[in-house]
Amino acid sequence: MRVLVTGGSGFVGQRLCEQLIEQGHDIQVVSRRPHQVRDRLPSGCDIRDSAQAFIESPPDALINLAGESIAGKRWSDEQKAKLINSRVATTKQLVVLCEQLQANGQPLPKVMVSGSAMGYYGDQGKRVVTEETKPNDEFAHRLCKQWEAAAQPIEAMGVRLAIVRTGLVLDAGVAAYRRCYRRLSWD
Ligand SMILES: NC(=O)c1ccc[n+]([C@@H]2O[C@H](COP(=O)([O-])OP(=O)(O)OC[C@H]3O[C@@H](n4cnc5c(N)ncnc54)[C@H](OP(=O)(O)O)[C@@H]3O)[C@@H](O)[C@H]2O)c1
């Protein structure tokens, strides 16, 4: 399959692209800086600076991971806006790509796996959380809600949409708590 990945240069994306290439898929990566991230990705990846740049080679599947780093900076009001807007804008790029493919009579992807996070539920204390749990209305929830909503229009075009509310991703040799929580403050 031909798989387009936004955020393919990131912590999760790099590992995902490696595995997809190993499985024999063709990988298209959207990055804001294709030349700088070249050496982070397997040599077979086609890296371009927008989703629209792949219009001539329509992907069979979309995986949407890009967004301003959650742990990069303190969550000032300005940074919170960046966290939301970067994810919503990237997701909309994929919706626009599908609209253009449809308008051109080109094949649409069969599926889009779009990122979200356990933050959707907000702080639930020690409660066991399921998909039915009522979210706590705080910044993390509002971010995920807008990120998920930006992907919804793709379903109306007949593309299957899977939203993944990822928990904390771990990797051997990477200090997760230092990486993720050093500079993070809730709400
Ligand atoms: N890691 C976790 O534990 C975890 C948990 C739950 C949810 N998630 C979510 O899953 C997604 C992938 O996680 P990750 O840890 O791989 O993230 P990451 O390492 O921070 O990578 C995200 C990618 O997004 C792109 N990006 C960064 N800032 C951007 C901006 N302002 N506008 C547009 N693109 C931007 C970057 O790619 P370029 O520089 O190449 O453009 C970057 O490689 C993220 O959206 C994250 O919020 C992660």
Side-chain angles (χ1 to χ4, degrees):
M1 269 204 315
R2 193 182 283 150
V3 185
L4 182 153
V5 185
T6 74
S9 65
F11 176 68
V12 175
Q14 285 176 52
R15 285 140 185 96
L16 179 66
C17 290
E18 278 165 22
Q19 292 205 9
L20 290 171
I21 287 267
E22 272 173 31
Q23 289 168 14
H25 299 291
D26 292 328
I27 304 302
Q28 304 171 320
V29 170
V30 178
S31 168
R32 295 162 302 163
R33 45 203 178 113
H35 298 295
Q36 285 102 307
V37 302
R38 171 72 280 160
D39 59 358
R40 295 190 199 174
L41 287 159
S43 57
C45 291
D46 184 355
I47 311 170
R48 303 191 188 180
D49 64 4
S50 72
Q52 276 67 39
F54 291 107
I55 188 94
E56 297 302 336
S57 44
D60 302 301
L62 305 171
I63 301 180
N64 183 32
L65 299 172
E68 175 79 10
S69 168
I70 292 287
K73 289 185 184 162
R74 178 168 284 280
W75 289 3
S76 62
D77 287 346
E78 188 189 352
Q79 187 62 12
K80 285 180 183 174
K82 255 191 195 174
L83 291 168
I84 293 177
N85 295 339
S86 59
R87 286 172 173 74
V88 168
T90 313
T91 307
K92 281 188 175 161
Q93 259 200 43
L94 296 178
V95 174
V96 169
L97 172 67
C98 289
E99 286 170 350
Q100 289 175 348
L101 290 170
Q102 197 170 47
N104 295 349
Q106 292 169 278
L108 287 176
K110 290 172 191 61
V111 62
M112 167 153 152
V113 178
S114 201
S116 184
M118 63 181 175
Y120 178 88
Y121 301 98
D123 185 357
Q124 297 282 340
K126 292 187 175 168
R127 197 168 308 133
V128 174
V129 173
T130 72
E131 287 190 5
E132 279 68 51
T133 303
K134 189 172 178 294
N136 194 30
D137 187 14
E138 60 192 49
F139 175 70
H141 169 65
R142 294 192 288 274
L143 186 163
C144 293
K145 194 175 165 190
Q146 290 182 59
W147 193 10
E148 293 185 12
Q152 291 298 336
I154 220 142
E155 274 197 311
M157 289 181 245
V159 178
R160 186 166 79 84
L161 175 63
I163 303 243
V164 182
R165 293 182 183 148
T166 308
L168 188 57
V169 183
L170 301 174
D171 187 29
V174 182
Y177 281 94
R178 243 186 80 212
R179 195 172 67 80
C180 295
Y181 290 117
R182 193 179 37 179
R183 299 169 76 178
L184 187 152
S185 72
W186 297 100
D187 238 0

